[in-house]
Amino acid sequence: MKTLTADRRMIKIAMEAPYLERDEEHALAEAWRNDNDQEARNKIAMSHMRLVISMAAKFRSFGLPMGDLVQEGHIGLLEAAARFEPSREVRFSTYATWWIRASMQDYVLRNWSIVRGGTSSAQKALFFNLRRLRARLAQGDRQLTSQAVHEEIAAAIGVSLADVQTMDARLSGNDASLQAPIGGGDPDAGARLDFLASEAPLPDEQVSDLIDGERARRWLHVALGELSEREMKIIRARRLSEDGATLEELGVALGISKERVRQIETRALEKLRAALTARAPALTAALH
């Protein structure tokens, strides 16, 4: 009830704000641009709040609070007022419309669904125009199938057919919480989350992987002990480091040619294979 009263009060204030004549609007814009007159900027913005409310009404079909839409539009309006160039001889309402619409569209995309969508300009155009285009095609004389409707919308907006079908499915249904109980609201019936198959390994597989990993690390440590100091340095830099040093870099560091580094690396890998083969043949595949 308080929210409804606040919305009405905001609309009332906006509707009572006086219109600005072109010369007065230009003078206020000049005062803001040249003298940083905050009061002039606020006066321009307040006189166009009815534009914000009018545009917010067009986005109400997305089921978001009117007050929130107006507030987001007001942010866009202030941004327009801050960026407005009076020297371009364009009415402020024409310029501000773009900023107000962009601010509201961004708010709708962020809050309409828990699933983020419409990240590209084509996707945003699809999101905000799909229902309108579908309704217009339905009013025609032709009897179009859903596939044909989707194809015409895809061609009109410039997106793929799959994008249109996916977006239409999203707009046709509501978000469903995985925590919501099923079976008529009975808490003992479980939630949707309980019936999702986990892709994680089974507990016995996790334990087995852990044991095998520890054993492999222990065997590898023993095998590395058979390498010389220079071989160890090359293997660590080339095979056991995330960055992976180049042959040329190691050659400069060791004072030898990169071809000599490659030969030492090959010999060291052969030593490791020989040491590991008897213990764990499967590990040697990782060294190839």
Side-chain angles (χ1 to χ4, degrees), residues 187-206:
D188 297 330
R192 296 178 186 271
L193 186 62
D194 299 331
F195 295 90
L196 293 180
S198 174
E199 297 181 358
L202 297 175
D204 58 335
E205 294 176 343
Q206 296 180 20

Side-chain angles (χ1 to χ4, degrees), residues 45-116:
M46 182 54 64
S47 66
H48 288 83
M49 274 302 294
R50 55 173 56 86
L51 175 62
V52 172
I53 294 171
S54 174
M55 296 183 66
K58 298 178 181 179
F59 288 92
R60 295 187 67 178
S61 60
F62 292 97
L64 298 172
M66 181 68 173
D68 290 351
L69 288 168
V70 171
Q71 289 179 10
E72 291 295 325
H74 185 241
I75 293 174
L77 179 64
L78 293 177
E79 187 70 24
R83 294 173 177 267
F84 185 56
E85 294 283 352
S87 59
R88 294 184 177 180
E89 298 298 331
V90 177
R91 290 304 301 264
F92 177 74
S93 59
T94 303
Y95 179 76
T97 297
W98 296 96
W99 285 96
I100 297 169
R101 181 185 295 115
S103 184
M104 289 184 182
Q105 286 181 344
D106 184 65
Y107 171 75
V108 171
L109 289 172
R110 284 186 284 109
N111 295 276
W112 180 80
S113 171
I114 59 175
V115 180
R116 179 66 169 168

Side-chain angles (χ1 to χ4, degrees), residues 38 40 55 146 152 197 207 230 247 269 275:
Q38 296 287 338
M55 296 183 66
S146 296
E152 294 209 13
V207 173
R230 187 162 61 173
L247 295 173
L269 290 175

